[in-house]
Amino acid sequence: MIKFFRKIRQNLLMENKTGKYFKYAIGEIVLVVIGILIALSINNWNQSRIDKRRESKYLNDIKKEIQNNSSVLDFYIKNRLPYKIEGLLAAKKYSEENIEIKDTIAFLNNVTKGGMITNGLGILSRNTFNELLSTGNFQLVSKDSIKIKVKKYYWGLDSDDINVETYKSDITKFTTGLRPYNSSNPNYISKYDSKEMMIAFRSVEFRKIVDRELSYAYSLENKIDGLIEEGLEIIELIDTELNNK
């Protein structure tokens, strides 16, 4: 094809048909430009198709991650948090008031539940969101409403990490230091250990630990329902977006 066009140009020049040559040259340039534009359009179309496929994958991954997080929030954290708060309130009442405990073992087992969920939302996954940020692929998510809500959701998890550090109380370390944990008999407490625990739970150090842990427990309680609701909204938006593709 190139040889064919070259031959035409040579013939026109040899015949001294300069006007026709320039017209032909312009036409050839136009054809080349059109060819380039078509190639670019095809390339852009292919890239757009690839990007849409990758976007769908990431949206599905975000959806699955949030669904799993919501299950953990509901089952592992939300259902256990009331027991944590109950145990901490019992410890606070005991350390601040001169009350008599009738069932020491039951009381101590209740108080040690205050050491549950000390890592807060650290057990929830952030892998997909972190990957999107580190690779720069978050821009593949075309819907701004999804982007905004996804960022808000994961920033909520990160802000809880800050709360954990702020209110970190080492309550688990304190209680297990007084009472060795036996997984085969988790409710067992020896008479000596129970006596030591009852004394230690009256201390100023333990009272401060309980107050810090209780502050965190309340902040977590206020956050959980909001995160679950945000997760449901994101999943609904993602489902709508995927159905429209």
Side-chain angles (χ1 to χ4, degrees):
M1 183 65 72
I2 294 173
K3 289 181 179 180
F4 174 74
F5 286 126
R6 187 181 297 154
K7 189 174 182 180
I8 293 175
R9 287 199 305 270
Q10 289 173 348
N11 290 337
L12 289 171
L13 287 172
M14 288 174 65
E15 295 173 6
N16 202 23
K17 297 179 179 179
T18 309
K20 288 185 177 181
Y21 173 77
F22 282 121
K23 289 180 181 178
Y24 169 79
I26 293 171
E28 190 174 333
I29 291 170
V30 171
L31 287 175
V32 170
V33 171
I34 291 173
I36 292 172
L37 291 175
I38 291 172
L40 288 173
S41 296
I42 293 173
N43 184 63
N44 289 338
W45 179 80
N46 281 331
Q47 188 60 49
S48 178
R49 187 166 53 88
I50 292 170
D51 287 345
K52 284 182 180 179
R53 192 184 306 135
R54 293 170 69 197
E55 180 190 12
S56 295
K57 179 186 179 302
Y58 278 124
L59 288 176
N60 273 306
D61 288 346
I62 291 172
K63 175 183 173 181
K64 289 176 184 176
E65 186 164 78
I66 290 176
Q67 284 176 327
N68 290 336
N69 283 347
S70 294
S71 296
V72 173
L73 272 172
D74 193 44
F75 177 77
Y76 182 76
I77 297 179
K78 185 176 180 179
N79 288 341
R80 299 173 74 203
L81 191 58
Y83 297 105
K84 176 182 179 72
I85 293 174
E86 180 186 343
L88 291 170
L89 288 174
K92 182 175 175 65
K93 184 176 179 64
Y94 174 76
S95 65
E96 293 179 351
E97 301 175 20
N98 186 24
I99 60 173
E100 181 183 353
I101 303 298
K102 294 180 180 179
D103 189 337
T104 303
I105 301 300
F107 168 76
L108 293 176
N109 279 321
N110 188 29
V111 169
T112 52
K113 289 176 184 176
M116 297 190 299
I117 325 172
T118 52
N119 291 326
L121 305 180
I123 60 174
L124 300 183
S125 176
R126 300 154 167 86
N127 294 337
T128 300
F129 183 65
N130 288 341
E131 180 185 340
L132 284 167
L133 292 182
S134 63
T135 59
N137 286 330
F138 195 57
Q139 63 182 352
L140 291 173
V141 180
S142 55
K143 203 79 171 180
D144 286 338
S145 57
I146 295 178
K147 278 185 176 179
I148 292 169
K149 285 189 176 294
V150 166
K151 282 183 179 179
K152 184 174 181 291
Y153 175 86
Y154 284 99
W155 286 345
L157 301 189
D158 291 340
S159 69
D160 183 72
D161 293 341
I162 297 172
N163 280 344
V164 170
E165 290 302 314
T166 301
Y167 297 111
K168 197 172 184 65
S169 67
D170 290 330
I171 186 170
T172 303
K173 183 178 179 181
F174 187 94
T175 55
T176 54
L178 296 167
R179 169 200 183 183
Y181 179 73
N182 183 355
S183 58
S184 62
N185 191 4
N187 292 324
Y188 173 75
I189 307 175
S190 69
K191 288 184 179 180
Y192 176 81
D193 288 338
S194 63
K195 182 178 179 181
E196 290 292 304
M197 291 175 78
M198 295 300 284
I199 295 172
F201 287 173
R202 291 280 194 194
S203 67
V204 174
E205 179 188 4
F206 184 67
R207 191 179 309 160
K208 290 180 179 179
I209 285 175
V210 168
D211 284 342
R212 286 170 66 86
E213 194 67 30
L214 196 55
S215 294
Y216 173 67
Y218 284 139
S219 73
L220 188 59
E221 185 181 42
N222 292 332
K223 176 172 285 189
I224 288 175
D225 287 334
L227 280 172
I228 292 175
E229 184 63 31
E230 285 175 24
L232 290 173
E233 290 175 3
I234 293 170
I235 290 169
E236 186 176 341
L237 284 173
I238 288 176
D239 283 340
T240 301
E241 181 68 8
L242 291 174
N243 289 333
N244 290 335
K245 288 190 179 296

